[in-house]
Amino acid sequence: MVVVTGQNKVSGNPDDAMSSSDAEDEFQEPATPTATQAGQALPLLPQQFPEVVPLNVGGMFFTTRLSTLRRYEDTMLAAMFSGRHYIPTDAEGRYFIDRDGTYFGDILNFLRSGDLPPRERVRSVYKEAQYYSIGPLLDNLEDIQPLKGEKVRQAFLGLMPYYKDHLERIIEIAKLRATQRKARFAKLKVCVFKEEMPITPYECPHFNSLRFERSESEPKLFEHHCEVDVSFGPWEAVADVYDLLHCIVTDLSARGIAVDHQCIGVCDKHLVNHYYCKRPIYEFKITWW
């Protein structure tokens, strides 16, 4: 095939003409359809929805008004049912949402009348509200238990240096020991201390001067690390050692890890003069099966 432009005529000179193979290469059609072609291939856009909308959410069936799904403009549901996007239907003509529908009823109840789920479903409904980007529901759920308490707990844990890293270390050490010993459980020692220095009534008045007024022959500040696997602390907050232990067990349990702990004494390492470390030591038992 010879392509002729509006200005140049084909002559007998082979150098002036484009070969058939060259022309086909230059005007070769794309292997995939362009956006315009794709738009022409989808005549279902924009989609029209009935006033009463039947839904299939992960195999669970719901029926609601279109205005309910569009209650808040900045949500995923409002965008999905705005008509700008194509929503597939199942064999019965229900609009299909590929999402677990267990808590979708709670989502609809909030969109309908502002109802909030019972406490035992708050966390799960919160995750669904995040997926559907329902800001008003997220705000309401964050102000009730247990999410309200979780915000306070996270504020406390924010004071804890390397808290998440220490949790990971506990898991890794316990997994390694159980694997090496072919055991069902593993034990490790964990130190949890709130104060950086001993604070018994006898030691407290003297220890500050001992720490910060060292002689020139001892220029380094006093430092001590208990002989344990992981140490948590110190921190400055009203929450005490038992509160942090509760957080550790709660967060490990949330990851499916069975853990027991008990205090097995204190660190008796000699510090200086008549001072000894009195930080509490806990034995953690991680059961793997």
Side-chain angles (χ1 to χ4, degrees), residues 10 42 62 90 94 100 128-129 132 214 219 237 274 285:
V10 178
L42 295 175
F62 303 89
D90 62 12
R94 304 181 187 93
D100 187 350
E128 294 304 296
Y132 293 110
R214 306 295 299 275
H274 57 281
K285 180 181 178 181

Side-chain angles (χ1 to χ4, degrees), residues 32-73:
T32 56
T34 62
T36 304
Q37 292 170 329
Q40 294 173 352
L42 295 175
L44 298 175
L45 296 177
Q47 194 171 13
Q48 300 295 323
F49 299 100
E51 181 60 29
V52 177
V53 182
L55 298 171
N56 178 347
V57 184
M60 300 183 68
F61 306 140
F62 303 89
T63 303
T64 189
R65 293 174 63 92
L66 182 61
S67 58
T68 298
L69 297 172
R70 297 175 176 176
R71 176 62 53 84
Y72 299 103
E73 294 182 357

Side-chain angles (χ1 to χ4, degrees), residues 106 110 114-126 136-153:
D106 293 301
F110 177 79
D115 293 343
L116 298 177
R119 177 171 179 169
E120 62 270 16
R121 295 207 299 269
V122 166
R123 293 183 185 274
S124 299
V125 175
Y126 186 82
L137 178 54
L138 292 172
D139 293 339
N140 278 272
L141 293 176
E142 288 175 354
D143 285 336
I144 63 176
Q145 289 285 45
L147 295 183
K148 187 70 173 181
E150 181 62 18
K151 291 176 66 175
V152 176
R153 190 178 81 97

Side-chain angles (χ1 to χ4, degrees), residues 201-221:
Y202 175 70
E203 296 168 335
C204 188
H206 309 284
F207 195 79
N208 283 340
S209 60
L210 180 68
R211 177 181 175 86
F212 296 108
E213 295 181 6
R214 306 295 299 275
S215 64
E216 294 182 358
S217 61
E218 298 176 310
K220 293 184 179 180
L221 293 178

